[in-house]
Amino acid sequence: MESAGIKISGQVSDLFGTSGRNLLRLIVEELPYNELIIEKSVRNQVRMKVPAIMQAMDGYIRPNQISILKKLLANNDIFTHQIHVIEQELKEVLLDTPEKIEICERVKSLPGFSENSALILLAEI
């Protein structure tokens, strides 16, 4: 995208987060966009950067680059789904008794522990 003059990675901290993916979708689907469409496509603090995002998206992306980007996004979706499946399988294996569920709940109550980080800690133990 940089070679096409599209520099949205400088405006969005996580290109594969919700806002970044919505902007990538605008590009690969070759949808027309303006400040209002971009504002509706992004979330939270990124909304304050709409004029800068408009400027960052002002480039020319060739059809072959769009094709490659579509494939990369599809692969990312596949890997994200596979990660979700593995996380669910891990949860089922680790939390197979009421006692283990209670331990996981206690770990999740600690500051900085999400369900995934609690499961990873329990898996290591």
Side-chain angles (χ1 to χ4, degrees):
M1 291 190 337
E2 292 282 330
S3 66
I6 298 172
K7 302 179 187 320
I8 59 175
S9 61
Q11 303 302 320
V12 180
S13 61
D14 182 6
L15 199 54
F16 293 100
T18 303
S19 296
R21 288 195 54 84
N22 288 343
L23 294 173
L24 291 173
R25 183 184 56 78
L26 289 174
I27 293 169
V28 299
E29 293 179 7
E30 300 181 81
L31 298 172
Y33 56 86
N34 55 35
E35 286 191 13
L36 181 61
I37 291 171
I38 289 177
E39 187 173 345
K40 288 181 181 181
S41 298
V42 297
R43 299 178 58 185
N44 303 329
Q45 298 163 337
V46 182
R47 285 197 173 125
M48 295 182 289
K49 299 180 179 181
V50 170
I53 292 170
M54 282 289 295
Q55 187 175 11
M57 289 179 67
D58 186 26
Y60 175 73
I61 188 163
R62 294 184 302 268
N64 67 317
Q65 292 171 315
I66 289 173
S67 176
I68 291 169
L69 186 54
K70 282 180 183 179
K71 290 174 184 148
L72 290 172
L73 289 172
N75 284 339
N76 185 65
D77 291 341
I78 291 168
F79 293 138
T80 300
H81 175 72
Q82 289 176 343
I83 289 169
H84 180 70
V85 168
I86 291 169
E87 288 171 347
Q88 287 303 112
E89 290 172 352
L90 177 64
K91 185 176 177 179
E92 290 171 12
V93 168
L94 288 174
L95 303 180
D96 59 350
T97 66
E99 293 82 16
K100 291 178 182 177
I101 293 170
E102 173 61 28
I103 292 169
C104 184
E105 290 301 319
R106 281 195 226 163
V107 172
K108 284 180 0 185
S109 70
L110 296 171
F113 277 89
S114 66
E115 183 172 54
N116 282 340
S117 58
L119 290 171
I120 290 169
L121 177 67
L122 294 175
E124 289 292 330
I125 293 172

